Amino acid sequence: MSNRDVAVIGVGYTTFQALTPDVNWKEMMFEAASEAYEDAGLDPRKDVDSFITCAEDFWEGFSIFDEFTPDQLGAVLRPMHTVSGDGLQGLASAYMLIRSGLCDIVAVEAHSKISELLTFEGVVKLSFDPVYEAPLFETAHPYAAAGLEMRSYLEASGTTEEQCAAVAAQHKRNAFSNPIAGFAARIETDDVLDSGYLFDPLKKLEIAPRADGSIVIVLASGDVARRYAKPVYLEGIGWSSDSPWIASRGSDAPYAARAAEQAYRKASIANPQKEIDFAEVDDQFAFKTLQHLEALGLARPGEAGHLAEEGALGRNGHLPVNVSGGSLGCGHLMEASGLAKALEVTLQLRGEAGKRQLSNARVGVAQSWRGVPHGTGAVAVFSRRD
Amino acid sequence: MGFTDRFQKTTEPRHRLGAMEADHYIYSAGIAGEKFFTALRDRGIILASHCKACAITYVPSRLFCERCFAELTDSDDREVGPEGEVATFTLVRQDSAGNALPEPEILAVIRFGHETTGFLHKLGEVSPEKVETGMKVEAVLKPQEEREARITDIAYFRPVKK
């Protein structure tokens, strides 16, 4: 019986930047893919059994975008499919391909070339219910939906605006130690609080700016991974979608809680607070960091804000969170945001995180959310098993 | 040319401006939506659907329960409101083009009793600094002759005068 464990054997990535007019999206993907195959020491034309991209037509400006993905990944005339979801959902597909025995080596790609979408807000508005919700957003910026959710979360959990602002400042400072992050800034909690309300109680500097970039992660079965020096094992993965009705949802990110339950069960994690050393969680809006940490069971309900305030979520705290800078510090990469979290967890577990390397990184969790106005999230648990 | 020959001036990269031809769709309201919007236009009421098994009332009315997957029929119809309570709200200070709005618009989730879902709408006849969660509000409907069987037949919700 062959070993159907799943491990990361290669990563490749571009920098994450606001604008990238010098390359097109295919070249960006080619750059990340070339680096990942080099890192894994394999030839995609011979060694990779299947390829997956994570993309959404409207972000890309294409109809049936998945037809445009094989060539730049080395996947022409090979098994290939696109997941219309976040990068972690793509990793979940790769996990299944390998666990089922259908494939031994799978490459997963996700990217953002969002700077080329000139009507970003219009596309986001198209994802609201067209009959009941969109007519109420004719004037309003679509991110107002995050303002509604932030107030629910603050009131239900007792979290304060200062605590959310502390998160935004921390992530932007963290990004200084990440050479690929595009939005590092030396700011403090007060700078965030003074940045002005856009959708009260949500403030300007609590909103992740958008970035371009591409990430490729190569996964392999346990048998193949054993030949590599630093395999990082994908111990468990889960995903879940909440009701699409904005006004029907709770304030505690239940999609993340359900996804975590599934991932933890696969990874045999009984006590996440004890067993998980660090986390990369979705932070498209600062408060989402705290809400997600609580949903993942890494903090008790209402506790995450206090941890942020005390510095416990910093690089030297007891639960380092988004030491990469997160989406607030790296930029929001659309469907690649979850894969950016998985990338950071992998680099940390390999001991390749440079200036931001954590000293006791053995088990890490990556979590994604598809953004306003969606209710889908995924969770992946990684470990280095040595 | 290769990656070693990247552009050095921002005016050099070429691009082509395109458009996604997807701006004409019909979004049907469906069976439950037809009932909801007709009731709103003709009777001026907010129609909801109650799932007995889950003890939850969906606003607006729906054809099925998202918790137990039961089909909801006419006998499950409930009228809610016009009075409700602000569950959450936001002051929208920016429009979709990123411009500051002269006056903030107020979006809110209204709840009509404990065991109902929320209902997304706008608030009016209230200054932004006076709004708070838990505030009692009531639906203000457009005059009957101006209603079109759309969600905007409710002009907004306003505070209930004590």
Side-chain angles (χ1 to χ4, degrees):
Chain A
M1 183 68 189
S2 64
N3 179 344
R4 298 324 299 176
D5 286 341
V6 179
V8 176
I9 59 164
V11 295
Y13 45 95
T14 64
T15 54
F16 305 146
Q17 294 164 223
L19 302 174
T20 53
D22 58 330
V23 284
N24 75 8
W25 55 277
K26 277 199 180 201
E27 292 164 350
M28 186 181 266
M29 288 167 73
F30 175 73
E31 183 183 344
S34 301
E35 186 179 301
Y37 303 144
E38 178 75 25
D39 185 43
L42 49 77
D43 175 354
R45 303 299 296 149
K46 295 205 291 269
D47 305 325
V48 178
D49 299 316
S50 191
F51 301 80
I52 297 167
T53 45
C54 307
E56 170 58 50
D57 284 8
F58 272 71
W59 292 149
E60 311 293 341
F62 278 76
S63 300
I64 330 280
F65 178 74
D66 40 313
E67 291 296 313
F68 292 86
T69 54
D71 47 340
Q72 65 274 31
L73 294 177
V76 168
L77 291 174
R78 307 294 299 281
M80 157 119 228
H81 71 273
T82 296
V83 172
S84 181
D86 173 82
L88 289 188
Q89 290 171 282
L91 274 194
S93 293
Y95 180 86
M96 292 186 274
L97 286 173
I98 294 170
R99 295 280 291 181
S100 68
L102 192 63
C103 297
D104 278 320
I105 300 181
V106 180
V108 181
E109 189 275 349
H111 64 274
S112 158
K113 192 68 152 105
I114 201 67
S115 66
E116 296 187 350
L117 171 59
L118 304 183
T119 53
F120 172 79
E121 289 80 4
V123 169
V124 177
K125 279 195 185 189
L126 258 183
S127 54
F128 284 78
D129 180 285
V131 176
Y132 298 98
E133 294 170 351
L136 302 170
F137 276 85
E138 265 182 13
T139 311
H141 192 287
Y143 280 3
L148 287 171
E149 188 182 330
M150 178 172 173
R151 186 181 305 278
S152 302
Y153 169 69
L154 295 190
E155 293 200 355
S157 66
T159 305
T160 66
E161 293 187 35
E162 288 74 14
Q163 292 167 341
C164 296
V167 168
Q170 175 80 59
H171 291 188
K172 285 177 188 292
R173 289 196 306 266
N174 286 353
F176 275 116
S177 308
N178 187 352
I180 60 173
F183 294 90
R186 199 163 304 288
I187 57 169
E188 302 297 332
T189 302
D190 283 346
D191 299 313
V192 179
L193 289 170
D194 295 341
S195 65
Y197 288 112
L198 290 187
F199 317 106
D200 310 30
L202 188 63
K203 294 157 206 75
K204 185 170 181 237
L205 288 178
E206 292 176 336
I207 300 173
R210 300 187 289 279
D212 293 349
S214 174
I215 301 157
V216 172
I217 293 185
V218 183
L219 296 160
S221 63
D223 284 335
V224 175
R226 263 199 294 273
R227 301 201 294 264
Y228 286 80
K230 295 181 201 168
V232 167
Y233 287 86
L234 176 52
E235 304 285 5
I237 193 157
W239 63 100
S240 161
S241 294
D242 198 357
S243 168
W245 296 77
I246 294 174
S248 295
R249 295 182 195 151
S251 61
D252 52 356
Y255 55 87
R258 295 295 94 74
E261 276 170 29
Q262 187 187 346
Y264 292 165
R265 198 165 55 239
K266 291 303 289 181
S268 303
I269 296 225
N271 183 342
Q273 290 195 37
K274 264 203 182 128
E275 296 171 60
I276 290 168
D277 301 318
F278 67 104
E280 287 282 316
V281 301
D282 177 86
D283 61 338
Q284 289 175 53
F285 305 100
F287 78 95
K288 295 296 284 185
T289 313
L290 303 172
Q291 184 200 38
H292 286 148
L293 286 174
E294 290 166 6
L296 294 178
L298 296 174
R300 290 190 307 275
E303 187 192 23
H306 296 286
L307 297 177
E309 217 162 30
E310 292 157 11
L313 308 180
R315 200 193 314 156
N316 301 313
H318 75 80
L319 176 65
V321 170
N322 292 14
V323 291
S324 66
S327 296
L328 286 158
C330 291
H332 172 40
L333 297 160
M334 310 291 122
E335 307 296 12
S337 281
L339 218 51
K341 316 283 183 210
L343 169 67
E344 176 67 12
V345 172
T346 302
L347 294 176
Q348 289 287 349
L349 293 173
R350 281 177 166 192
E352 293 175 358
K355 270 165 67 182
R356 63 189 189 286
Q357 181 63 48
L358 300 168
S359 48
N360 288 310
R362 301 184 56 82
V363 178
V365 64
Q367 180 257 333
S368 67
W369 168 57
R370 290 194 77 200
V372 163
H374 307 294
T376 294
V379 172
V381 179
F382 297 88
S383 89
R384 68 169 200 231
R385 281 198 195 177
D386 53 18
Chain B
M1 288 201 0
F3 279 130
T4 52
D5 303 303
R6 284 177 191 266
F7 294 108
Q8 297 289 289
K9 291 180 187 161
T10 51
T11 50
E12 285 171 357
R14 202 178 304 283
H15 70 264
R16 181 184 155 263
L17 188 64
M20 287 279 270
E21 294 298 335
D23 52 348
H24 295 100
Y25 267 93
I26 285 178
Y27 297 105
S28 35
I31 297 165
E34 204 62 45
K35 214 160 57 172
F36 175 81
F37 287 117
T38 308
L40 182 61
R41 181 189 61 196
D42 299 345
R43 298 159 61 202
I45 60 162
I46 300 171
L47 203 63
S49 306
H50 181 73
C51 176
K52 285 181 210 73
C54 298
I56 184 159
T57 302
Y58 292 101
V59 196
S61 45
R62 300 192 196 175
L63 191 65
F64 45 84
C65 174
E66 66 177 39
R67 302 199 180 179
C68 72
F69 208 56
E71 184 180 333
L72 303 174
T73 63
D74 288 350
S75 66
D76 302 309
D77 286 353
R78 296 283 186 280
E79 185 185 330
V80 295
E83 282 191 24
E85 198 176 285
V86 173
T88 184
F89 67 95
T90 185
L91 310 182
V92 187
R93 297 174 189 270
Q94 204 179 54
D95 70 13
S96 2
N99 302 314
L101 288 165
E103 287 296 319
E105 213 180 68
I106 312 169
L107 281 172
V109 172
I110 319 290
R111 212 175 276 281
F112 304 97
H114 185 58
E115 289 178 338
T116 67
T117 64
F119 181 67
L120 182 72
H121 221 284
K122 295 181 190 183
L123 300 186
E125 293 184 46
V126 61
S127 55
E129 63 274 13
K130 293 270 171 58
V131 184
E132 50 188 23
T133 53
M135 183 181 225
K136 299 270 184 288
V137 290
E138 61 186 356
V140 177
L141 271 66
K142 286 181 180 167
Q144 180 118 40
E145 63 278 11
E146 287 176 26
R147 289 183 214 151
E148 305 167 294
R150 294 181 192 284
I151 197 72
T152 44
D153 285 0
I154 301 172
Y156 48 79
F157 283 75
R158 72 177 170 207
V160 175
K161 290 190 183 73
K162 280 161 197 148

